[in-house]
PDB file of all heavy atoms in Angstrom:
ATOM      1  N   ALA A  53      98.016  42.936  91.290  1.00  0.00           N
ATOM      2  CA  ALA A  53      97.756  43.859  90.172  1.00  0.00           C
ATOM      3  C   ALA A  53      98.292  45.253  90.464  1.00  0.00           C
ATOM      4  O   ALA A  53      98.879  45.949  89.580  1.00  0.00           O
ATOM      5  CB  ALA A  53      96.216  43.962  89.908  1.00  0.00           C
ATOM      6  N   LEU A  54      98.181  45.723  91.756  1.00  0.00           N
ATOM      7  CA  LEU A  54      98.735  47.026  92.098  1.00  0.00           C
ATOM      8  C   LEU A  54     100.234  46.998  91.922  1.00  0.00           C
ATOM      9  O   LEU A  54     100.837  47.960  91.401  1.00  0.00           O
ATOM     10  CB  LEU A  54      98.410  47.260  93.600  1.00  0.00           C
ATOM     11  CG  LEU A  54      98.981  48.547  94.191  1.00  0.00           C
ATOM     12  CD1 LEU A  54      98.560  49.816  93.493  1.00  0.00           C
ATOM     13  CD2 LEU A  54      98.524  48.539  95.694  1.00  0.00           C
ATOM     14  N   SER A  55     100.894  45.909  92.325  1.00  0.00           N
ATOM     15  CA  SER A  55     102.365  45.812  92.189  1.00  0.00           C
ATOM     16  C   SER A  55     102.712  45.835  90.692  1.00  0.00           C
ATOM     17  O   SER A  55     103.749  46.547  90.315  1.00  0.00           O
ATOM     18  CB  SER A  55     102.788  44.571  92.786  1.00  0.00           C
ATOM     19  OG  SER A  55     104.194  44.305  92.626  1.00  0.00           O
ATOM     20  N   VAL A  56     101.997  45.186  89.842  1.00  0.00           N
ATOM     21  CA  VAL A  56     102.298  45.172  88.387  1.00  0.00           C
ATOM     22  C   VAL A  56     102.201  46.545  87.823  1.00  0.00           C
ATOM     23  O   VAL A  56     102.990  46.977  87.076  1.00  0.00           O
ATOM     24  CB  VAL A  56     101.391  44.136  87.667  1.00  0.00           C
ATOM     25  CG1 VAL A  56     101.523  44.289  86.146  1.00  0.00           C
ATOM     26  CG2 VAL A  56     101.740  42.720  88.149  1.00  0.00           C
ATOM     27  N   GLU A  57     101.086  47.217  88.218  1.00  0.00           N
ATOM     28  CA  GLU A  57     100.910  48.579  87.690  1.00  0.00           C
ATOM     29  C   GLU A  57     101.972  49.553  88.196  1.00  0.00           C
ATOM     30  O   GLU A  57     102.411  50.410  87.447  1.00  0.00           O
ATOM     31  CB  GLU A  57      99.491  49.107  87.921  1.00  0.00           C
ATOM     32  CG  GLU A  57      98.413  48.320  87.277  1.00  0.00           C
ATOM     33  CD  GLU A  57      98.484  48.320  85.789  1.00  0.00           C
ATOM     34  OE1 GLU A  57      99.125  49.184  85.215  1.00  0.00           O
ATOM     35  OE2 GLU A  57      97.869  47.375  85.188  1.00  0.00           O
ATOM     36  N   ALA A  58     102.371  49.430  89.392  1.00  0.00           N
ATOM     37  CA  ALA A  58     103.424  50.244  89.955  1.00  0.00           C
ATOM     38  C   ALA A  58     104.785  49.997  89.162  1.00  0.00           C
ATOM     39  O   ALA A  58     105.451  50.908  88.804  1.00  0.00           O
ATOM     40  CB  ALA A  58     103.647  49.964  91.426  1.00  0.00           C
ATOM     41  N   ALA A  59     104.953  48.688  88.880  1.00  0.00           N
ATOM     42  CA  ALA A  59     106.213  48.341  88.092  1.00  0.00           C
ATOM     43  C   ALA A  59     106.118  48.974  86.676  1.00  0.00           C
ATOM     44  O   ALA A  59     107.120  49.384  86.110  1.00  0.00           O
ATOM     45  CB  ALA A  59     106.323  46.852  87.946  1.00  0.00           C
ATOM     46  N   GLU A  60     104.882  49.044  86.065  1.00  0.00           N
ATOM     47  CA  GLU A  60     104.778  49.629  84.790  1.00  0.00           C
ATOM     48  C   GLU A  60     105.041  51.130  84.857  1.00  0.00           C
ATOM     49  O   GLU A  60     105.644  51.716  83.941  1.00  0.00           O
ATOM     50  CB  GLU A  60     103.413  49.373  84.197  1.00  0.00           C
ATOM     51  CG  GLU A  60     103.228  47.923  83.803  1.00  0.00           C
ATOM     52  CD  GLU A  60     101.858  47.575  83.198  1.00  0.00           C
ATOM     53  OE1 GLU A  60     101.006  48.527  83.005  1.00  0.00           O
ATOM     54  OE2 GLU A  60     101.557  46.429  83.063  1.00  0.00           O
ATOM     55  N   LEU A  61     104.747  51.806  86.010  1.00  0.00           N
ATOM     56  CA  LEU A  61     105.094  53.178  86.129  1.00  0.00           C
ATOM     57  C   LEU A  61     106.611  53.306  86.288  1.00  0.00           C
ATOM     58  O   LEU A  61     107.247  54.220  85.671  1.00  0.00           O
ATOM     59  CB  LEU A  61     104.370  53.742  87.392  1.00  0.00           C
ATOM     60  CG  LEU A  61     104.675  55.176  87.778  1.00  0.00           C
ATOM     61  CD1 LEU A  61     104.236  56.184  86.739  1.00  0.00           C
ATOM     62  CD2 LEU A  61     103.946  55.497  89.105  1.00  0.00           C
ATOM     63  N   VAL A  62     107.193  52.465  87.015  1.00  0.00           N
ATOM     64  CA  VAL A  62     108.649  52.471  87.266  1.00  0.00           C
ATOM     65  C   VAL A  62     109.358  52.262  85.907  1.00  0.00           C
ATOM     66  O   VAL A  62     110.402  52.941  85.663  1.00  0.00           O
ATOM     67  CB  VAL A  62     109.082  51.385  88.233  1.00  0.00           C
ATOM     68  CG1 VAL A  62     110.645  51.213  88.279  1.00  0.00           C
ATOM     69  CG2 VAL A  62     108.624  51.733  89.637  1.00  0.00           C
ATOM     70  N   GLU A  63     108.780  51.438  85.062  1.00  0.00           N
ATOM     71  CA  GLU A  63     109.417  51.106  83.768  1.00  0.00           C
ATOM     72  C   GLU A  63     109.659  52.376  82.906  1.00  0.00           C
ATOM     73  O   GLU A  63     110.657  52.456  82.177  1.00  0.00           O
ATOM     74  CB  GLU A  63     108.548  50.092  83.007  1.00  0.00           C
ATOM     75  CG  GLU A  63     109.172  49.665  81.677  1.00  0.00           C
ATOM     76  CD  GLU A  63     108.227  48.677  81.001  1.00  0.00           C
ATOM     77  OE1 GLU A  63     107.022  48.742  81.172  1.00  0.00           O
ATOM     78  OE2 GLU A  63     108.791  47.869  80.197  1.00  0.00           O
ATOM     79  N   ILE A  64     108.696  53.277  83.017  1.00  0.00           N
ATOM     80  CA  ILE A  64     108.825  54.549  82.241  1.00  0.00           C
ATOM     81  C   ILE A  64     110.096  55.261  82.609  1.00  0.00           C
ATOM     82  O   ILE A  64     110.771  55.964  81.758  1.00  0.00           O
ATOM     83  CB  ILE A  64     107.572  55.439  82.503  1.00  0.00           C
ATOM     84  CG1 ILE A  64     106.359  54.737  81.951  1.00  0.00           C
ATOM     85  CG2 ILE A  64     107.778  56.803  81.825  1.00  0.00           C
ATOM     86  CD1 ILE A  64     105.011  55.445  82.443  1.00  0.00           C
ATOM     87  N   PHE A  65     110.466  55.266  83.885  1.00  0.00           N
ATOM     88  CA  PHE A  65     111.641  55.964  84.399  1.00  0.00           C
ATOM     89  C   PHE A  65     112.917  55.166  84.479  1.00  0.00           C
ATOM     90  O   PHE A  65     113.972  55.695  84.767  1.00  0.00           O
ATOM     91  CB  PHE A  65     111.292  56.474  85.837  1.00  0.00           C
ATOM     92  CG  PHE A  65     110.174  57.480  85.819  1.00  0.00           C
ATOM     93  CD1 PHE A  65     108.842  57.053  86.002  1.00  0.00           C
ATOM     94  CD2 PHE A  65     110.438  58.817  85.751  1.00  0.00           C
ATOM     95  CE1 PHE A  65     107.798  57.885  86.020  1.00  0.00           C
ATOM     96  CE2 PHE A  65     109.352  59.699  85.724  1.00  0.00           C
ATOM     97  CZ  PHE A  65     108.079  59.241  85.862  1.00  0.00           C
ATOM     98  N   GLN A  66     112.863  53.893  84.126  1.00  0.00           N
ATOM     99  CA  GLN A  66     113.936  52.900  84.398  1.00  0.00           C
ATOM    100  C   GLN A  66     115.354  53.419  84.001  1.00  0.00           C
ATOM    101  O   GLN A  66     116.254  53.336  84.711  1.00  0.00           O
ATOM    102  CB  GLN A  66     113.596  51.620  83.711  1.00  0.00           C
ATOM    103  CG  GLN A  66     114.619  50.522  84.025  1.00  0.00           C
ATOM    104  CD  GLN A  66     114.187  49.159  83.508  1.00  0.00           C
ATOM    105  OE1 GLN A  66     113.261  49.032  82.760  1.00  0.00           O
ATOM    106  NE2 GLN A  66     114.877  48.198  83.899  1.00  0.00           N
ATOM    107  N   TRP A  67     115.496  53.928  82.752  1.00  0.00           N
ATOM    108  CA  TRP A  67     116.775  54.283  82.292  1.00  0.00           C
ATOM    109  C   TRP A  67     117.005  55.763  82.140  1.00  0.00           C
ATOM    110  O   TRP A  67     117.947  56.205  81.461  1.00  0.00           O
ATOM    111  CB  TRP A  67     117.126  53.594  80.944  1.00  0.00           C
ATOM    112  CG  TRP A  67     116.980  52.050  81.104  1.00  0.00           C
ATOM    113  CD1 TRP A  67     116.020  51.314  80.530  1.00  0.00           C
ATOM    114  CD2 TRP A  67     117.810  51.191  81.884  1.00  0.00           C
ATOM    115  NE1 TRP A  67     116.195  49.952  80.940  1.00  0.00           N
ATOM    116  CE2 TRP A  67     117.279  49.887  81.779  1.00  0.00           C
ATOM    117  CE3 TRP A  67     118.879  51.456  82.770  1.00  0.00           C
ATOM    118  CZ2 TRP A  67     117.836  48.815  82.405  1.00  0.00           C
ATOM    119  CZ3 TRP A  67     119.451  50.323  83.370  1.00  0.00           C
ATOM    120  CH2 TRP A  67     118.905  49.082  83.209  1.00  0.00           C
ATOM    121  N   LEU A  68     116.141  56.587  82.715  1.00  0.00           N
ATOM    122  CA  LEU A  68     116.251  58.008  82.638  1.00  0.00           C
ATOM    123  C   LEU A  68     117.260  58.528  83.655  1.00  0.00           C
ATOM    124  O   LEU A  68     117.310  57.992  84.769  1.00  0.00           O
ATOM    125  CB  LEU A  68     114.863  58.711  82.830  1.00  0.00           C
ATOM    126  CG  LEU A  68     113.792  58.334  81.830  1.00  0.00           C
ATOM    127  CD1 LEU A  68     112.512  59.085  82.150  1.00  0.00           C
ATOM    128  CD2 LEU A  68     114.215  58.558  80.380  1.00  0.00           C
ATOM    129  N   THR A  69     117.897  59.609  83.350  1.00  0.00           N
ATOM    130  CA  THR A  69     118.650  60.332  84.339  1.00  0.00           C
ATOM    131  C   THR A  69     117.671  61.052  85.250  1.00  0.00           C
ATOM    132  O   THR A  69     116.528  61.250  84.933  1.00  0.00           O
ATOM    133  CB  THR A  69     119.601  61.349  83.704  1.00  0.00           C
ATOM    134  OG1 THR A  69     118.855  62.341  83.048  1.00  0.00           O
ATOM    135  CG2 THR A  69     120.562  60.649  82.681  1.00  0.00           C
ATOM    136  N   PRO A  70     118.158  61.554  86.419  1.00  0.00           N
ATOM    137  CA  PRO A  70     117.280  62.313  87.351  1.00  0.00           C
ATOM    138  C   PRO A  70     116.725  63.551  86.575  1.00  0.00           C
ATOM    139  O   PRO A  70     115.606  63.859  86.739  1.00  0.00           O
ATOM    140  CB  PRO A  70     118.186  62.662  88.493  1.00  0.00           C
ATOM    141  CG  PRO A  70     119.174  61.568  88.534  1.00  0.00           C
ATOM    142  CD  PRO A  70     119.424  61.153  87.045  1.00  0.00           C
ATOM    143  N   GLU A  71     117.527  64.190  85.738  1.00  0.00           N
ATOM    144  CA  GLU A  71     117.128  65.323  85.054  1.00  0.00           C
ATOM    145  C   GLU A  71     116.060  64.999  84.056  1.00  0.00           C
ATOM    146  O   GLU A  71     115.077  65.727  83.818  1.00  0.00           O
ATOM    147  CB  GLU A  71     118.315  65.995  84.295  1.00  0.00           C
ATOM    148  CG  GLU A  71     119.432  66.546  85.288  1.00  0.00           C
ATOM    149  CD  GLU A  71     120.332  65.471  85.837  1.00  0.00           C
ATOM    150  OE1 GLU A  71     120.393  64.338  85.330  1.00  0.00           O
ATOM    151  OE2 GLU A  71     120.876  65.780  86.953  1.00  0.00           O
ATOM    152  N   GLN A  72     116.253  63.927  83.296  1.00  0.00           N
ATOM    153  CA  GLN A  72     115.276  63.495  82.310  1.00  0.00           C
ATOM    154  C   GLN A  72     113.956  63.113  82.981  1.00  0.00           C
ATOM    155  O   GLN A  72     112.827  63.412  82.525  1.00  0.00           O
ATOM    156  CB  GLN A  72     115.711  62.288  81.493  1.00  0.00           C
ATOM    157  CG  GLN A  72     116.879  62.608  80.577  1.00  0.00           C
ATOM    158  CD  GLN A  72     117.541  61.359  79.972  1.00  0.00           C
ATOM    159  OE1 GLN A  72     117.643  60.330  80.641  1.00  0.00           O
ATOM    160  NE2 GLN A  72     117.955  61.444  78.765  1.00  0.00           N
ATOM    161  N   SER A  73     114.035  62.404  84.154  1.00  0.00           N
ATOM    162  CA  SER A  73     112.806  61.959  84.847  1.00  0.00           C
ATOM    163  C   SER A  73     112.013  63.184  85.392  1.00  0.00           C
ATOM    164  O   SER A  73     110.782  63.145  85.326  1.00  0.00           O
ATOM    165  CB  SER A  73     113.195  61.080  86.016  1.00  0.00           C
ATOM    166  OG  SER A  73     113.793  61.752  87.036  1.00  0.00           O
ATOM    167  N   ALA A  74     112.739  64.303  85.647  1.00  0.00           N
ATOM    168  CA  ALA A  74     111.953  65.464  86.142  1.00  0.00           C
ATOM    169  C   ALA A  74     111.183  66.165  85.015  1.00  0.00           C
ATOM    170  O   ALA A  74     110.361  67.012  85.254  1.00  0.00           O
ATOM    171  CB  ALA A  74     112.949  66.454  86.760  1.00  0.00           C
ATOM    172  N   LYS A  75     111.496  65.773  83.741  1.00  0.00           N
ATOM    173  CA  LYS A  75     110.888  66.410  82.619  1.00  0.00           C
ATOM    174  C   LYS A  75     109.887  65.526  81.852  1.00  0.00           C
ATOM    175  O   LYS A  75     109.403  65.915  80.745  1.00  0.00           O
ATOM    176  CB  LYS A  75     111.978  66.900  81.619  1.00  0.00           C
ATOM    177  CG  LYS A  75     112.853  67.970  82.221  1.00  0.00           C
ATOM    178  CD  LYS A  75     113.921  68.423  81.251  1.00  0.00           C
ATOM    179  CE  LYS A  75     114.765  69.482  81.859  1.00  0.00           C
ATOM    180  NZ  LYS A  75     115.849  69.970  81.041  1.00  0.00           N
ATOM    181  N   VAL A  76     109.590  64.378  82.398  1.00  0.00           N
ATOM    182  CA  VAL A  76     108.709  63.490  81.660  1.00  0.00           C
ATOM    183  C   VAL A  76     107.309  63.986  81.327  1.00  0.00           C
ATOM    184  O   VAL A  76     106.760  63.713  80.299  1.00  0.00           O
ATOM    185  CB  VAL A  76     108.499  62.060  82.373  1.00  0.00           C
ATOM    186  CG1 VAL A  76     109.755  61.272  82.436  1.00  0.00           C
ATOM    187  CG2 VAL A  76     107.816  62.234  83.654  1.00  0.00           C
ATOM    188  N   MET A  77     106.797  64.940  82.084  1.00  0.00           N
ATOM    189  CA  MET A  77     105.517  65.493  81.824  1.00  0.00           C
ATOM    190  C   MET A  77     105.529  66.622  80.806  1.00  0.00           C
ATOM    191  O   MET A  77     104.477  67.033  80.381  1.00  0.00           O
ATOM    192  CB  MET A  77     104.917  65.989  83.152  1.00  0.00           C
ATOM    193  CG  MET A  77     104.669  64.914  84.200  1.00  0.00           C
ATOM    194  SD  MET A  77     103.791  63.441  83.619  1.00  0.00           S
ATOM    195  CE  MET A  77     102.120  64.067  83.584  1.00  0.00           C
ATOM    196  N   GLU A  78     106.717  66.936  80.372  1.00  0.00           N
ATOM    197  CA  GLU A  78     106.826  67.979  79.246  1.00  0.00           C
ATOM    198  C   GLU A  78     106.598  67.417  77.901  1.00  0.00           C
ATOM    199  O   GLU A  78     106.288  68.120  76.946  1.00  0.00           O
ATOM    200  CB  GLU A  78     108.255  68.608  79.346  1.00  0.00           C
ATOM    201  CG  GLU A  78     108.486  69.451  80.530  1.00  0.00           C
ATOM    202  CD  GLU A  78     109.925  69.930  80.671  1.00  0.00           C
ATOM    203  OE1 GLU A  78     110.675  69.855  79.688  1.00  0.00           O
ATOM    204  OE2 GLU A  78     110.211  70.461  81.711  1.00  0.00           O
ATOM    205  N   LYS A  79     106.738  66.067  77.700  1.00  0.00           N
ATOM    206  CA  LYS A  79     106.478  65.408  76.444  1.00  0.00           C
ATOM    207  C   LYS A  79     105.122  64.723  76.487  1.00  0.00           C
ATOM    208  O   LYS A  79     104.941  63.870  77.331  1.00  0.00           O
ATOM    209  CB  LYS A  79     107.574  64.379  76.213  1.00  0.00           C
ATOM    210  CG  LYS A  79     108.965  64.978  76.051  1.00  0.00           C
ATOM    211  CD  LYS A  79     110.037  63.878  75.827  1.00  0.00           C
ATOM    212  CE  LYS A  79     111.377  64.502  75.754  1.00  0.00           C
ATOM    213  NZ  LYS A  79     112.339  63.336  75.638  1.00  0.00           N
ATOM    214  N   PRO A  80     104.259  65.104  75.561  1.00  0.00           N
ATOM    215  CA  PRO A  80     102.897  64.443  75.538  1.00  0.00           C
ATOM    216  C   PRO A  80     102.893  62.987  75.537  1.00  0.00           C
ATOM    217  O   PRO A  80     102.074  62.351  76.249  1.00  0.00           O
ATOM    218  CB  PRO A  80     102.265  65.056  74.273  1.00  0.00           C
ATOM    219  CG  PRO A  80     103.008  66.313  73.958  1.00  0.00           C
ATOM    220  CD  PRO A  80     104.360  66.105  74.458  1.00  0.00           C
ATOM    221  N   GLU A  81     103.780  62.362  74.789  1.00  0.00           N
ATOM    222  CA  GLU A  81     103.826  60.848  74.759  1.00  0.00           C
ATOM    223  C   GLU A  81     104.166  60.259  76.116  1.00  0.00           C
ATOM    224  O   GLU A  81     103.514  59.200  76.457  1.00  0.00           O
ATOM    225  CB  GLU A  81     104.598  60.292  73.633  1.00  0.00           C
ATOM    226  CG  GLU A  81     106.097  60.646  73.702  1.00  0.00           C
ATOM    227  CD  GLU A  81     106.549  62.020  73.224  1.00  0.00           C
ATOM    228  OE1 GLU A  81     105.726  62.838  72.883  1.00  0.00           O
ATOM    229  OE2 GLU A  81     107.799  62.241  73.232  1.00  0.00           O
ATOM    230  N   THR A  82     105.071  60.772  76.785  1.00  0.00           N
ATOM    231  CA  THR A  82     105.436  60.226  78.111  1.00  0.00           C
ATOM    232  C   THR A  82     104.413  60.698  79.202  1.00  0.00           C
ATOM    233  O   THR A  82     104.138  59.970  80.080  1.00  0.00           O
ATOM    234  CB  THR A  82     106.886  60.515  78.561  1.00  0.00           C
ATOM    235  OG1 THR A  82     107.115  61.903  78.477  1.00  0.00           O
ATOM    236  CG2 THR A  82     107.873  59.714  77.689  1.00  0.00           C
ATOM    237  N   ALA A  83     103.978  61.921  79.073  1.00  0.00           N
ATOM    238  CA  ALA A  83     102.984  62.454  80.086  1.00  0.00           C
ATOM    239  C   ALA A  83     101.722  61.577  80.081  1.00  0.00           C
ATOM    240  O   ALA A  83     101.204  61.220  81.099  1.00  0.00           O
ATOM    241  CB  ALA A  83     102.659  63.846  79.761  1.00  0.00           C
ATOM    242  N   HIS A  84     101.298  61.206  78.939  1.00  0.00           N
ATOM    243  CA  HIS A  84     100.111  60.309  78.771  1.00  0.00           C
ATOM    244  C   HIS A  84     100.347  58.925  79.396  1.00  0.00           C
ATOM    245  O   HIS A  84      99.465  58.470  80.110  1.00  0.00           O
ATOM    246  CB  HIS A  84      99.775  60.211  77.323  1.00  0.00           C
ATOM    247  CG  HIS A  84      98.595  59.327  77.040  1.00  0.00           C
ATOM    248  ND1 HIS A  84      97.309  59.645  77.432  1.00  0.00           N
ATOM    249  CD2 HIS A  84      98.579  58.054  76.581  1.00  0.00           C
ATOM    250  CE1 HIS A  84      96.515  58.654  77.078  1.00  0.00           C
ATOM    251  NE2 HIS A  84      97.218  57.633  76.578  1.00  0.00           N
TER     252      HIS A  84
END
Side-chain angles (χ1 to χ4, degrees):
L54 174 60
S55 175
V56 169
E57 294 302 338
E60 289 179 8
L61 178 61
V62 170
E63 183 181 31
I64 297 167
F65 296 89
Q66 185 173 10
W67 303 113
L68 300 181
T69 66
E71 296 77 19
Q72 291 168 326
S73 71
K75 296 179 180 180
V76 294
M77 299 308 284
E78 294 174 9
K79 296 179 182 176
E81 63 277 4
T82 54
H84 177 71

